Amino acid sequence: VGLPAARFDRGQSGSALLDTLGWALLGALVAGAVAVVAVVCRRGRSENRLDRELDAHLVRRLPLAALLLFVLALLYGGWARPGWTSEGRLSGDTAFGTVALVQGLLVIALAVVAHLLHRSRPDARAAVRGLGGPVVAMLACALGGVMSGGVAQRVSDWMDGTGAFLEGPPVLLTWQASVIPPLLVVVLLMCAALARHTLRLARAERDAVEADHPGETGDPGRTRRIALTRAMATLTDRAPLLVAITSTATLLLGAGALVGALTTGQVPGEAARGTYAVVQGAAQTAQELGSWLIGLGFILFVTWGRRAYKDASARRTIGILWDVGTFWPRAAHPFAPPCYAERAVPDLTWRMAIWTRATGGRLVISGHSQGSVLAAAASWQLEPSARKRVALLTYGSPLERLYGRWFPAHFGPDALASLHEEVDCWRNLHRRTDPIGGPMRLPGDAGPAVDRAPLKDPLTYGRTELHPLPAPILGHSDYQADPAFAEERARLLARLRPEVPAPRHTGGAAASVPAADDATGNC
């Protein structure tokens, strides 16, 4: 917005005052970019030293400063300049092309480093063969690019009206928006393949469902529902493949868009003129459809956010994603939301340490879903003497299934195996219908010692005196309603009972403390 006006002001017919303001605005933009880079580099320094100064003066104020610069650029670019008529496209092709090229090269370099690290310490369960970080980085860069392209194209169409005098946004942004339809075709094909595989797996699971409930009268409809729930729960394990293919297609399509924009200097529809009718039609359709899909995606995003306020299930799903995204300290991402684990983990660790030291007692830490991650993180922070007085009871836990696969350096098999050795005892409950929780899969004898056999879900297949109505399929919820939970907790308490003083006001020998009872991670 500001560069074309600044270029005119520097000419012979420009205003000296506006020229000075243009240079000041350009200097502010450069200073803001330098500040962002400096903050990103400094935020990775350490988490051992508290630094409120940087957060207060830079990280929290940079978004406001960026908004202020945007408003100033609009005012400066929209100021009346007699004798000047805008023409051509909005500038920015060089800047956007440089950003896209640098992002692509950084992602490729990150992928090479991640591949070498994975080869040095291979982990068969690591997501995308250790390339989870580069894959997510590629998708993040692509999301920023296509959102920029789509918004710019929609605003250009709105300002142009009848299409008589504006040529549109920078060429590269139009190319980036145009790659959305072919990318969606790739994603839809993968979803269709996953749906077909899921249905085949569901049919294969029907025999296993009936085998889990021998001696009961079969109900084909109920068997199909249970089998389909089990099959759909396995989609979590196939998500890395979907993400990897999407990221690879995004990298290739993004590279094609960059090459097309730089070599032709024209939008896809114009660049395809004179070619085959099919190619020209596909290019024109992708160009027009891409910007509309961006607008539709933005509307769906706002609608989903609004639905979270009214729908408990949608709010729970968003809460799960939010918990995973805000678990890690902001040293990994300086502009991320505040990390709740920086407070929850030390608080839980302090309570555990105070109990064991003040009473000489022992603890059973019970954690569900994200609460199991907090329980493991807090146990790692304890002194070895206190850690030996702690037993873990996890259920519906994503420790290995999600965290262990995507963050193997912190939650990989070596880390989980060492935790099992350092605590007094650890038991883990999971269901085959749970799309989030799963077994810990520790090697050797530690595996069966930690993981109980998959719990039955539903608890009963048909109607019984205790369950006159059909028992619901619980999936990720209500683990504490399963008799296996009370059984395992009683076993852990009995194991901790010797030489443990009775807590005040309870008369018991050991304490059972829930780390969290749901996916929100509330202690």
Side-chain angles (χ1 to χ4, degrees), residues 183-493:
L183 181 61
L184 284 181
V185 171
V186 174
V187 173
L188 290 176
L189 290 175
M190 288 189 298
C191 291
L194 284 177
R196 179 184 177 187
H197 179 271
T198 302
L199 292 176
R200 292 175 60 185
L201 183 60
R203 286 193 292 268
E205 283 286 339
R206 294 175 189 174
D207 294 336
V209 171
E210 294 178 354
D212 289 342
H213 303 277
E216 299 192 44
T217 303
D219 182 350
R222 185 165 174 79
T223 299
R224 284 195 299 268
R225 286 192 296 272
I226 299 173
L228 182 60
T229 304
R230 288 185 178 184
M232 292 184 65
T234 64
L235 292 177
T236 303
D237 301 316
R238 300 187 177 276
L241 177 62
L242 178 66
V243 174
I245 296 177
T246 304
S247 180
T248 303
T250 300
L251 178 62
L252 297 177
L253 290 173
L258 180 60
V259 172
L262 295 180
T263 54
T264 65
Q266 297 176 327
V267 297
E270 296 176 358
R273 287 180 181 177
T275 61
Y276 294 102
V278 175
V279 176
Q280 184 176 351
Q284 190 67 34
T285 302
Q287 176 181 325
E288 296 177 357
L289 187 59
S291 61
W292 285 104
L293 288 175
I294 286 291
L296 177 62
F298 182 78
I299 294 174
L300 292 176
F301 181 77
V302 174
T303 304
W304 192 30
R306 183 180 179 183
R307 182 186 168 207
Y309 287 95
K310 299 181 178 181
D311 190 344
S313 62
R315 185 164 57 250
R316 187 178 183 86
T317 301
I318 296 175
I320 293 173
L321 299 175
W322 185 268
D323 281 344
V324 175
T326 56
F327 173 79
W328 299 100
R330 282 196 289 182
H333 195 314
F335 302 110
C339 169
Y340 70 91
E342 290 180 334
R343 177 176 180 179
V345 172
D347 283 355
L348 181 58
T349 303
W350 179 80
R351 292 181 62 188
M352 295 161 63
I354 289 297
W355 169 265
T356 55
R357 183 170 64 249
T359 68
R362 303 187 180 191
L363 290 172
V364 174
I365 304 298
S366 165
H368 172 240
S369 193
Q370 188 70 12
S372 65
V373 182
L374 295 177
S379 300
W380 269 315
Q381 305 301 317
L382 291 171
E383 295 292 334
S385 58
R387 198 179 301 127
K388 274 299 182 183
R389 293 178 172 269
V390 171
L392 293 179
L393 177 56
T394 56
Y395 41 102
S397 173
L399 268 172
E400 193 280 336
R401 195 175 190 183
L402 296 181
Y403 283 84
R405 298 192 66 187
W406 290 96
F407 310 102
H410 301 281
F411 293 94
D414 294 338
L416 296 180
S418 66
L419 179 63
H420 172 244
E421 295 175 357
E422 293 169 1
V423 297
D424 185 88
C425 188
W426 184 6
R427 293 293 287 171
N428 178 63
L429 309 179
H430 62 97
R431 299 188 181 112
R432 298 182 64 183
T433 56
D434 190 342
I436 297 175
M440 296 301 154
R441 305 178 187 271
L442 298 185
D445 297 336
V450 172
D451 292 318
R452 181 176 174 130
L455 305 183
K456 285 187 177 182
D457 188 27
L459 290 175
T460 59
Y461 181 85
R463 302 170 185 263
T464 64
E465 293 183 359
L466 295 178
H467 299 276
L469 297 177
I473 303 173
L474 299 177
H476 185 61
S477 61
D478 292 334
Y479 272 86
Q480 293 178 333
D482 196 299
F485 177 84
E487 177 185 339
E488 292 292 345
R489 183 175 61 178
R491 287 180 56 189
L492 292 176
L493 290 172

